[in-house]
Amino acid sequence: MPNKEFEKPLYPFPPFGTRASLAKMLSLTIDQLDKLERNASDLYNVVEKRKKSGEPRICFDARPALKDVQGRIKVLILRRVIYPKYLTGGLPHQDYLENARRHQSPRVMVGDDIEDFFPNISAAIVCDIWRYFFHFPADVSHTLTRLTT
């Protein structure tokens, strides 16, 4: 029997087979999906924030039409992933106290500061996640990538 503590994340649902089924899941027509995908890169506002160090940090905030669809993607796809118990950062229903409890007297502990991590995630990597983790077809994976990067 495998050790449950070291399993990989799992998406236990069948992949969307077509862009039409993706559109339906997102409550869009295929024409609306096409238009949103075509214009996605223009649907962001640039927002300047500050890092803890005081340095500027450029962020991109999706405009309402795209943000709404990204919210549906988060709820209907990403939140349905089952994560192993050893993953806690950035996941719903996880908090720093539970995370600390799990790390009391560990055999191995890794602590990394992943400064500037997200700007280093390319669209190609995101597309590979849609394609090879979620097992969506190439065209669905490309559409999801354009809507989320």
Side-chain angles (χ1 to χ4, degrees):
M1 174 178 255
N3 182 343
K4 297 279 184 198
E5 189 68 19
F6 293 102
E7 289 181 359
K8 299 182 291 185
L10 171 69
Y11 181 71
F13 301 95
F16 300 106
T18 65
R19 291 178 72 256
S21 61
L22 174 65
K24 183 176 180 179
M25 186 273 304
L26 294 173
S27 300
L28 300 170
T29 66
I30 195 71
D31 289 339
Q32 290 170 320
L33 180 65
D34 289 341
K35 182 178 179 183
L36 196 59
E37 181 180 359
R38 263 192 323 272
N39 298 314
S41 62
D42 296 325
L43 295 173
Y44 288 92
N45 294 318
V46 177
V47 179
E48 185 175 314
K49 296 186 177 184
R50 295 279 171 197
K51 296 180 183 181
K52 288 181 184 178
S53 66
E55 294 178 61
R57 177 176 171 223
I58 303 301
C59 298
F60 300 91
D61 187 27
R63 292 184 185 152
L66 183 58
K67 186 177 268 190
D68 182 52
V69 169
Q70 289 174 343
R72 288 185 220 152
I73 291 168
K74 179 174 76 172
V75 169
L76 298 171
I77 301 174
L78 299 175
R79 288 261 170 96
R80 298 177 85 185
V81 172
I82 299 169
Y83 293 96
K85 291 186 179 192
Y86 64 85
L87 294 177
T88 58
L91 296 175
H93 312 296
Q94 299 292 340
D95 63 39
Y96 70 95
L97 294 174
E98 176 61 19
N99 187 34
R101 185 190 64 74
R102 288 184 184 163
H103 291 94
Q104 290 175 343
S105 304
R107 292 189 311 195
V108 175
M109 183 180 219
V110 176
D112 275 329
D113 180 1
I114 52 175
E115 183 178 337
D116 295 325
F117 175 74
F118 291 107
N120 295 313
I121 302 297
S122 68
I125 291 171
V126 171
C127 191
D128 283 350
I129 292 168
W130 293 124
R131 183 87 169 106
Y132 301 109
F133 174 75
F134 289 96
H135 303 288
F136 296 140
D139 59 341
V140 171
S141 297
H142 288 291
T143 294
L144 284 164
T145 299
R146 287 184 198 101
L147 295 175
T148 59
T149 60

